[in-house]
Amino acid sequence: MLVVAGTLTVIGWLMQHLADQGLIANGAYGIATLVAGLPIIFKAISALRARVMSIELLVSIAVVGAVAILEFEEAAMVTFLFAFGNFLEQRTLQKTHQAIQNLTEMQPTTATMVVDGQYQEVEIDEVDEGTVLVVRVGDQVPVDGEIISGSAEVDEALITGESKLVDKTTGDQAYMGSIVENGQILVQAQKVGEDTTFGKIIELVEEAQDNQAPMSKFIDRFAKYYTPFVLVVSILILLFTKNLRLAITILVLACPGALVIGAPVSNVAGIGRGAKAGILIKGGDVIDQLAQVDTILFDKTGTVTEGRPTVKSIKEYQEDHWLALAADLEKQTNHPLARSIVEYYEKRGQKTTADFNLPITTIKGIGIKSEYQGQTIWIGSRRVLTENQIELTTQQARDLQVIESDGQSVVLMTVDQKLVLMMGLVDQVRKGVKETFEKLKQSGIDKQWMLTGDNSFIAEKIAKTIGINQVKAQMLPEEKALFLEQLQNDGRHVLFVGDGINDSPSIAKANVGIAMGNGTDVAIETSDVVLIDSDFSNIQNARRVAKATMRNTMQNVGIAIGTVALLLIGVAYGWVNMASGMLFHEISILVVIFNAMRLLRMKF
């Protein structure tokens, strides 16, 4: 239809200006107006039925008016240029959605299932949790699951953004979308479809690009009242000047097309750029808040540290099976320290944990509690001692001091108010943490606090390593959230970074909550930003994307308002007519879109 309208418009212009065939020219213009104009009129009618006065309404009235005064050339030009502008706008906008399109196209569609020792290729929808799949060289891992056999070099760039190959072997996790470059593995499915890490990436980005920023919402409200305002102004011009051509020209040139599209296209591009880097920003309103952040609070374990601690020290005060029982209870939780204790037990004894089938109760900020043969079992931080009013022996107190002075996190196990087990664990600080905090400070986030449930000595030691001098240790989750709220009441815009269930209240309460991608599902669901590869430097990159997106949005608003103002001035002085004005109007829309697309090429 667009090609037909364009061809007829060109034929009309040639017949009118070169062949002096006015009748044929008007016929070509008239058909071109119908071809390109009817869809515009139908959209205007649909909008009116929904009680919305759209831009299409302004154009429709202007075109009908141009036909009424026998200005067929301008009617054809306006409808063609408006339709052509919409076409270019949609084609260009598709590029800003490329991040989602690429992700969707990269999803595996088939899997190779192992059935009675035989390989059977099935559709991905037929794979359930617990299914065993074989993944060979060149294959994509079709699920999130545990490797139960084999080893391979795996490319996880689609998930983490890291191009280097990762060695995977029995017991490791494999993620949907990663590619086996060398080797062969058997994977038991734990998460399938939308529940996988890759599936959640797509879902989060899609939801984010539908989420409007405050500026977008303001512009939508502005356009709602702007359209009837332009109609009233045009009617008043007609009444006072008796110049129908001028009134119709005002209708066309005052269309705020570039203004309406300016903010959404910037947000979509900014969110798309973040997604390419493994930064999932959940919407335009998050971008707005992230750009205003001036204070950062963060957890220690799994956030500034790798979250993969190892047991360095162990003290057993009774010769019994308490370590086996501790490992069995800890395997029911997903805390990094708990996982490390289970791994330590299995490696030390070259055996899997026993199955005591004991239910546990999680006490946030302290640890876990259970009952065993009529005895009350506690496993957790040194708060276990104060919670149960347990006094340490001289040797136990000395052991605790030695372990903590070495910077180890302590896990204690008590049985009926007696300490039976003490373990010290060490964790490594993530790469680039100190540099990231320095850059955040330079960018305006001058208040930086580490909040942790660990003891003061360990907290201070980590803080010194990463260049932070504001620390609050031995905090419960509710105390972290309360401290955050106090800062907000003082007028601070707070960013909280965490990874665990304990962090979810603070992540949800913060102006912006960031979850590390290796964290729990709860933390990821409640957060505003997810760092898929848990790269700490992406906190700074996320803020850079947010600030660049806000600048880009304001630039687009300025371009849109400036274009309309210049066109109206041009009409007032007789420099611009309806057709030429419409051409400049559509050019301004493309300028706004291309300006937003610069965000997709943003370098970190």
Side-chain angles (χ1 to χ4, degrees):
M1 290 174 60
L2 188 62
V3 174
V4 172
T7 303
L8 288 170
T9 301
V10 171
I11 291 172
W13 190 88
L14 292 173
M15 290 294 101
Q16 179 180 356
H17 296 282
L18 298 182
D20 198 22
Q21 297 290 325
L23 187 61
I24 297 175
N26 287 339
Y29 286 142
I31 298 172
T33 301
L34 285 173
V35 171
L38 284 176
I40 300 171
I41 293 172
F42 290 149
K43 283 186 179 180
I45 294 171
S46 297
L48 281 175
R49 285 176 178 168
R51 298 182 180 180
V52 175
M53 302 184 74
S54 64
I55 296 172
E56 284 81 7
L57 178 63
L58 296 182
V59 175
S60 298
I61 295 172
V63 169
V64 171
V67 172
I69 60 175
L70 304 180
E71 291 292 343
F72 298 109
E73 179 183 2
E74 292 199 340
M77 289 286 189
V78 167
T79 53
F80 170 71
L81 287 171
F82 189 81
F84 186 59
N86 281 338
F87 168 75
L88 289 179
E89 177 183 317
Q90 293 303 316
R91 285 293 300 272
T92 313
L93 275 171
Q94 286 176 4
K95 293 184 179 180
T96 64
H97 286 275
Q98 201 66 44
I100 293 179
Q101 293 173 355
N102 290 344
L103 287 172
T104 304
E105 290 168 3
M106 290 177 182
Q107 290 185 93
T109 56
T110 61
T112 304
M113 200 158 41
V114 181
V115 182
D116 297 328
Q118 301 296 315
Y119 295 161
Q120 180 181 340
E121 188 166 316
V122 296
E123 295 294 319
I124 193 67
D125 294 337
E126 298 179 35
V127 178
D128 298 318
E129 293 180 17
T131 302
V132 176
L133 307 168
V134 62
V135 189
R136 294 163 290 198
V137 175
D139 290 346
Q140 275 187 304
V141 179
V143 296
D144 281 5
E146 181 181 356
I147 299 174
I148 59 174
S149 177
S151 61
E153 290 182 321
V154 179
D155 180 359
E156 294 184 337
L158 193 61
I159 305 298
T160 66
E162 292 287 338
S163 58
K164 63 182 180 182
L165 297 180
V166 181
D167 291 326
K168 296 280 184 176
T169 188
T170 303
D172 290 339
Q173 287 290 307
Y175 298 101
M176 177 182 180
S178 52
I179 301 171
V180 173
E181 297 288 351
N182 186 27
Q184 179 173 302
I185 51 177
L186 291 183
V187 178
Q188 185 170 38
Q190 295 175 328
K191 295 180 181 179
V192 298
E194 294 180 355
D195 293 330
T196 62
T197 301
F198 187 60
K200 286 183 177 179
I201 291 174
I202 297 173
E203 182 183 356
L204 289 173
V205 177
E206 286 175 337
E207 289 177 356
Q209 295 195 334
D210 290 334
N211 186 308
Q212 287 187 315
M215 177 61 76
S216 299
K217 295 173 184 175
F218 168 77
I219 290 173
D220 284 348
R221 290 195 299 271
F222 174 79
K224 179 181 177 182
Y225 297 105
Y226 180 77
T227 299
F229 171 75
V230 171
L231 279 172
V232 171
V233 169
S234 299
I235 291 170
L236 291 175
I237 289 174
L238 176 61
L239 292 175
F240 283 99
T241 66
K242 309 300 182 184
N243 188 335
L244 182 59
R245 173 188 286 275
L246 178 60
I248 292 171
T249 302
I250 294 295
L251 276 178
V252 172
L253 301 189
C255 294
L259 182 64
V260 171
I261 198 175
V265 74
S266 293
N267 285 327
V268 170
I271 291 167
R273 177 63 187 94
K276 285 175 63 179
I279 305 167
L280 300 189
I281 303 173
K282 299 183 183 179
D285 54 345
V286 176
I287 286 178
D288 182 70
Q289 289 289 332
L290 187 53
Q292 299 180 54
V293 162
D294 56 22
T295 302
I296 180 171
L297 309 181
F298 55 94
D299 179 46
K300 179 179 71 69
T301 305
T303 302
V304 297
T305 62
E306 293 283 355
R308 294 194 296 271
T310 55
V311 176
K312 183 178 180 181
S313 305
I314 184 164
K315 301 291 182 180
E316 299 179 77
Y317 300 107
Q318 290 185 12
E319 293 183 3
D320 210 327
H321 57 285
W322 298 124
L323 180 58
L325 180 60
D328 180 70
L329 295 175
E330 293 282 36
K331 75 180 181 183
Q332 299 181 53
T333 77
N334 57 10
H335 193 281
L337 297 181
R339 291 196 298 268
S340 300
I341 291 169
V342 175
E343 290 173 5
Y344 171 78
Y345 171 77
E346 292 180 341
K347 287 179 180 178
R348 190 177 89 157
Q350 295 295 312
K351 54 188 175 183
T352 58
T353 56
D355 194 357
F356 291 90
N357 291 319
L358 298 179
I360 65 169
T361 301
T362 300
I363 313 298
K364 285 188 176 181
I366 300 177
I368 59 175
K369 180 182 178 181
S370 185
E371 295 290 330
Y372 173 65
Q373 296 181 352
Q375 299 170 300
T376 302
I377 311 293
W378 283 79
I379 304 175
S381 67
R382 63 182 300 161
R383 282 179 178 268
V384 167
L385 302 178
T386 55
E387 188 75 16
N388 294 280
Q389 298 179 335
I390 297 174
E391 293 289 337
L392 298 182
T393 66
T394 303
Q395 183 60 49
Q396 289 170 344
R398 187 181 298 115
D399 291 340
L400 182 59
Q401 182 181 13
V402 169
I403 289 175
E404 289 185 338
S405 64
D406 189 44
Q408 301 175 44
S409 297
V410 176
V411 176
L412 306 175
M413 180 179 187
T414 66
V415 178
D416 280 349
Q417 295 188 305
K418 290 183 179 179
L419 181 64
V420 299
L421 194 63
M422 181 186 299
M423 290 170 283
L425 297 92
V426 292
D427 199 357
Q428 297 298 315
V429 173
R430 293 182 188 276
K431 290 182 180 179
V433 170
K434 186 174 183 179
E435 293 79 6
T436 297
F437 278 125
E438 184 59 36
K439 290 177 181 178
L440 287 170
K441 188 178 291 184
Q442 292 172 2
S443 70
I445 303 183
D446 55 344
K447 297 292 185 182
Q448 301 176 348
W449 292 84
M450 184 169 79
L451 312 182
T452 177
D454 220 331
N455 69 75
S456 300
F457 190 90
I458 296 173
E460 293 288 350
K461 188 170 183 177
I462 294 291
K464 185 177 180 180
T465 301
I466 61 178
I468 297 295
N469 55 20
Q470 298 180 104
V471 180
K472 284 187 172 291
Q474 293 178 281
M475 296 188 78
L476 293 170
E478 55 267 29
E479 292 173 337
K480 293 180 183 179
L482 182 61
F483 178 69
L484 186 154
E485 194 171 354
Q486 290 171 349
L487 289 173
Q488 289 176 321
N489 291 338
D490 291 338
R492 312 295 298 192
H493 285 79
V494 183
L495 166 67
F496 187 92
V497 188
D499 78 316
I501 292 176
N502 289 348
D503 301 322
S504 55
S506 297
I507 288 175
K509 191 179 286 289
N511 296 87
V512 178
I514 293 184
M516 310 302 274
N518 62 348
T520 64
D521 289 343
V522 175
I524 291 172
E525 289 295 331
T526 56
S527 67
D528 302 300
V529 180
V530 180
L531 307 184
I532 291 298
D533 58 358
S534 298
D535 183 348
F536 205 83
S537 65
N538 270 343
I539 296 173
Q540 166 67 359
N541 292 335
R543 191 158 187 270
R544 286 186 59 202
V545 167
K547 292 179 79 70
T549 301
M550 293 302 296
R551 285 196 303 270
N552 194 272
T553 299
M554 297 310 298
Q555 291 167 2
N556 283 349
V557 170
I559 291 169
I561 293 175
T563 299
V564 172
L566 289 173
L567 287 176
L568 294 179
I569 292 172
V571 170
Y573 282 93
W575 301 334
V576 178
N577 60 26
M578 191 188 303
S580 62
M582 196 65 192
L583 176 62
F584 283 110
H585 184 273
E586 298 303 332
I587 289 173
S588 73
I589 291 177
L590 292 179
V591 169
V592 160
I593 294 172
F594 287 127
N595 182 52
M597 287 182 65
R598 292 190 303 112
L599 292 170
L600 295 174
R601 299 189 297 273
M602 184 178 175
K603 302 294 184 183
F604 294 147

